[in-house]
Amino acid sequence: MSGADNWRRDRRDTRISKKQKLILNSGEQLESRLGYDLFNEGDKRLGWLLTLASSSWEDQETRKMYSCVDLYFVCQDGSTFKTKYKFRPYFYAATKDKMEIDVEAYLRRRYEGQIADIEIVEREDLDL
């Protein structure tokens, strides 16, 4: 890939994050008007989880976008708040029997530096 291609890709990524930031800010402003202010720090709050939604969060220092879940709560006194829970995206991949180790080794080699962790789990078919 040439330097020009890298520049175009980097510039496009910047534009996307600015667009997402504008949408995020307008969405958070609307939620704030509806009574769901973002709870970051302060005294502990006790509430019941009403609903959740997938979202993203931008680290102000590194400018990286992270996947998160917005959790919406209501307190006993009727007040409401929301909080963001950051997590790493994940997916499951099925392999042929006895090929798990080979697939793991390939993925680690192919996506070195991009994969946080690989865990081999046994899935059970609940339809049985």
Side-chain angles (χ1 to χ4, degrees), residues 72-116:
Y72 298 85
F73 294 91
V74 63
C75 298
Q76 189 171 4
D77 63 2
S79 64
T80 57
F81 66 96
K82 90 170 189 179
T83 187
K84 291 183 177 287
Y85 179 73
K86 187 170 66 168
F87 69 94
R88 291 184 173 140
Y90 66 92
F91 67 93
Y92 291 102
T95 65
K96 293 182 179 180
D97 286 338
K98 311 284 189 228
M99 293 297 294
E100 297 88 357
I101 303 297
D102 295 330
V103 171
E104 177 184 1
Y106 169 77
L107 290 173
R108 287 190 188 277
R109 241 186 354 265
R110 173 69 172 86
Y111 297 102
E112 184 178 357
Q114 297 177 358
I115 293 179

Side-chain angles (χ1 to χ4, degrees), residues 1-21 63 65:
M1 187 177 278
S2 70
D5 290 337
N6 280 334
W7 178 80
R8 280 191 208 109
R9 185 172 49 110
D10 291 342
R11 186 171 175 181
R12 183 179 65 239
D13 291 346
T14 302
R15 273 193 245 132
I16 291 171
S17 68
K18 285 181 182 176
K19 183 178 178 182
Q20 287 176 338
K21 186 177 180 180
R63 299 307 227 200
M65 294 294 285

Side-chain angles (χ1 to χ4, degrees), residues 11-70:
R11 186 171 175 181
R12 183 179 65 239
D13 291 346
T14 302
R15 273 193 245 132
I16 291 171
S17 68
K18 285 181 182 176
K19 183 178 178 182
Q20 287 176 338
K21 186 177 180 180
L22 290 175
I23 293 169
L24 184 70
N25 288 341
S26 64
E28 286 186 358
Q29 288 174 0
L30 175 62
E31 289 173 349
S32 179
R33 278 188 246 138
L34 295 173
Y36 289 96
D37 290 319
L38 185 60
F39 178 71
N40 288 332
E41 57 189 358
D43 294 337
K44 287 185 178 181
R45 298 183 81 178
L46 177 63
W48 288 270
L49 180 65
L50 293 176
T51 190
L52 56 99
S54 62
S55 183
S56 59
W57 174 76
E58 182 179 13
D59 185 351
Q60 297 299 323
E61 294 176 9
T62 63
R63 299 307 227 200
K64 284 187 174 182
M65 294 294 285
Y66 293 96
S67 299
C68 69
V69 178
D70 287 343

